[in-house]
Amino acid sequence: MARFLSQFFPPSPTFTEKDVPDLTGKVFIVTGGNSGVGFEIVKILYAKGGTVYIASRSPDKVASAIKEIKSLVTDATGKLLGLHLDLGDLTTVPRCVSTFLAQESQLDVLFNNAGISQEPSGNVSKQGHEIHMATNCLGHFLLTNMLLPILLRTAKSSQEASVRVVYTSSGIMDIAAPPGGLSLAELVPGNFSKSPDRNYASSKAGCWMLAAELDKRTRKYGLLCVCQSPGTLNTKGWDQAPRMVKLMMKLVMHEPKMGAYTGLWAGLSPEVKLDDGGRYGLPWGRWDTDPKKEILESMKTKEEGGTGLSAEFWTWCEDRAEGFACLGQIMKTTVE
C-alpha cells in the first residue's frame, strides 16, 4: 500500500531543470512533444541548448508548440524541429526516420513519450491492431529499431550511458493489466478486451517489456534503455475518461511539468547508470525497488525461472513490424 500511495504522492523531484547540464551539440527526439509531459520535456531540452525534434501526427500542432515554446523561452540557443509521425500507422514510421536521418548524424536520447488512453473497446490502428497496443508499443517499437543504427553509433563515440532510449509506462499496469502484464491472446483481432483500462494497462506493461528486451540486446554496445512512469498527471490523456473518474482523479493529479522531471531523470541524470538498463523508474525520479513479481517473471526466460512472456511479446512486435522495415537486417548490420 505504501508503494502504491507513493506513486500518487511522490517525494520531491531528484532531477529538475536546475540539474540539466548544457545540452549544446546534443540531439533529441520526443514523440508526442507538442503537448502535456512531452511539451515540458521539449521546453527544458531546448532551453538548455539541445536540438529537439518533436514527433507528432499533427504538423499544425507541432508548429503551434514550437511557436509557443519559443515565445516562452526567448534566450535559448537550441533548435526546435518537427517530424511527422503517426504511431497508429506504421507506414509513417520509415518516412519519419528517413526525414530525421537526412538532417542528423547523431541521436543522444529518444524519448518514447507519446501515448493514448481510454480509447473505446474495438478501436484499431491503421493496420488493424488494438489501438492502445499499436500506438503505445508497436509504433514505438518500429521507430526505436529503425533508429538503432544512429543510436548505437552515437553511443560508441559518447560517454558511457549518455545515449538512451526512454520508454513511458504507467502505474495502472499494477492494478488493471492481465496476469503477467499482458495477454498475447487478447492481441488477436476479434479477441480484444472490452475494457479500455485493461487494454491501456497492457500496453503500458508492454512498454516496460520492450525497454527490458532492448536492454538485453544492446547494453553491451553502450546504449542505455529504461522505462519510467511519469506519474498521475493532469493531461489530455484523461479527456475521454468518465466525468466522475476525472473528478476523483483530480485530487491526486499533478502538473505535467512534474512528469517531465521523471522523464528527464531517466534520460539525462548521471545517477542512472548502464547497469540500470531495463529498470522501471517512479515519480519523480527514483527506481521501483519492489516491482510486481509476476511482471518481473514475464521478463525472465524460462531457463531463468520466468515465463518468457516479454521475449514472446518482442517477437510479436517484430513479426508485425517486419513488413515496414527489415528489422533483422538492421540489427545484424548495426552490431557487426
Side-chain angles (χ1 to χ4, degrees):
M1 179 60 75
R3 173 179 173 274
F4 187 73
L5 289 174
S6 79
Q7 295 192 58
F8 284 114
F9 306 101
S12 298
T14 62
F15 192 85
T16 72
E17 60 266 66
K18 296 177 182 178
D19 303 295
V20 176
D22 177 45
L23 299 176
T24 302
K26 302 290 187 181
V27 181
F28 307 89
I29 294 177
V30 183
T31 66
N34 56 283
S35 65
V37 175
F39 179 89
E40 299 296 335
I41 290 176
V42 170
K43 185 167 63 174
I44 294 172
L45 296 175
Y46 170 68
K48 294 292 183 173
T51 295
V52 192
Y53 285 79
I54 301 174
S56 172
R57 60 188 173 186
S58 172
D60 289 342
K61 289 182 179 180
V62 170
S64 295
I66 290 175
K67 183 178 180 180
E68 182 178 356
I69 291 172
K70 287 184 175 180
S71 71
L72 294 170
V73 187
T74 58
D75 58 348
T77 58
K79 296 180 182 178
L80 288 176
L81 303 102
L83 292 170
H84 177 247
L85 173 68
D86 183 349
L87 292 163
D89 180 1
L90 296 179
T91 64
T92 70
V93 179
R95 292 197 295 269
C96 171
V97 173
S98 294
T99 300
F100 175 77
L101 295 179
Q103 300 176 75
E104 301 294 343
S105 59
Q106 73 180 75
L107 176 57
D108 293 274
V109 184
L110 169 61
F111 289 93
N112 285 331
N113 162 81
I116 59 170
S117 64
Q118 297 294 324
E119 289 290 324
S121 175
N123 278 16
V124 298
S125 69
K126 187 76 170 180
Q127 284 72 43
H129 305 297
E130 196 284 316
I131 192 63
H132 296 91
M133 193 61 72
T135 304
N136 300 344
C137 290
L138 186 55
H140 278 127
F141 174 86
L142 180 58
L143 176 69
T144 303
N145 277 271
M146 291 194 71
L147 289 170
L148 271 183
I150 192 170
L151 283 163
L152 293 182
R153 283 199 306 271
T154 308
K156 189 175 182 180
S157 59
S158 302
Q159 183 178 352
E160 183 177 270
S162 65
V163 179
R164 305 179 183 183
V165 174
V166 180
Y167 270 91
T168 304
S169 185
S170 168
I172 195 175
M173 71 176 179
D174 287 343
I175 56 177
L182 58 84
S183 167
L184 293 177
E186 291 181 4
L187 302 185
V188 177
N191 199 39
F192 303 150
S193 168
K194 291 181 171 54
S195 167
D197 283 342
R198 185 178 174 97
N199 289 327
Y200 174 61
S202 296
S203 73
K204 287 304 177 178
C207 287
W208 186 11
M209 291 182 186
L210 292 179
E213 289 297 318
L214 184 62
D215 170 67
K216 293 176 184 178
R217 292 160 173 78
T218 61
R219 186 191 299 189
K220 61 185 175 182
Y221 303 110
L223 180 64
L224 174 60
C225 311
V226 295
C227 189
Q228 51 86 31
S229 170
T232 306
L233 308 168
N234 188 10
T235 65
K236 292 183 179 180
W238 291 97
D239 284 356
Q240 298 192 61
R243 186 169 182 272
M244 285 305 298
V245 172
K246 288 191 286 187
L247 288 174
M248 289 188 294
M249 291 305 297
K250 277 188 177 295
L251 298 173
V252 293
M253 283 182 181
H254 303 268
E255 291 304 308
K257 187 175 183 178
M258 301 304 294
Y261 290 154
T262 316
L264 289 169
W265 168 80
L268 297 173
S269 173
E271 293 182 1
V272 179
K273 307 295 185 182
L274 194 60
D275 287 344
D276 290 319
R279 296 184 73 180
Y280 182 68
L282 298 176
W284 313 118
R286 57 201 167 104
W287 293 120
D288 187 350
T289 57
D290 187 27
K292 200 169 185 179
K293 183 178 179 182
E294 63 184 54
I295 297 182
L296 289 180
E297 290 174 348
S298 294
M299 292 188 285
K300 294 180 181 178
T301 65
K302 292 179 180 178
E303 292 74 18
E304 296 170 326
T307 66
L309 178 59
S310 181
E312 291 179 18
F313 178 58
W314 176 279
T315 299
W316 182 90
C317 290
E318 197 169 44
D319 289 345
R320 281 142 191 84
E322 189 67 36
F324 301 89
C326 298
L327 299 184
Q329 186 60 37
I330 287 174
M331 178 66 80
K332 182 176 184 294
T333 303
T334 300
V335 302
E336 284 182 349

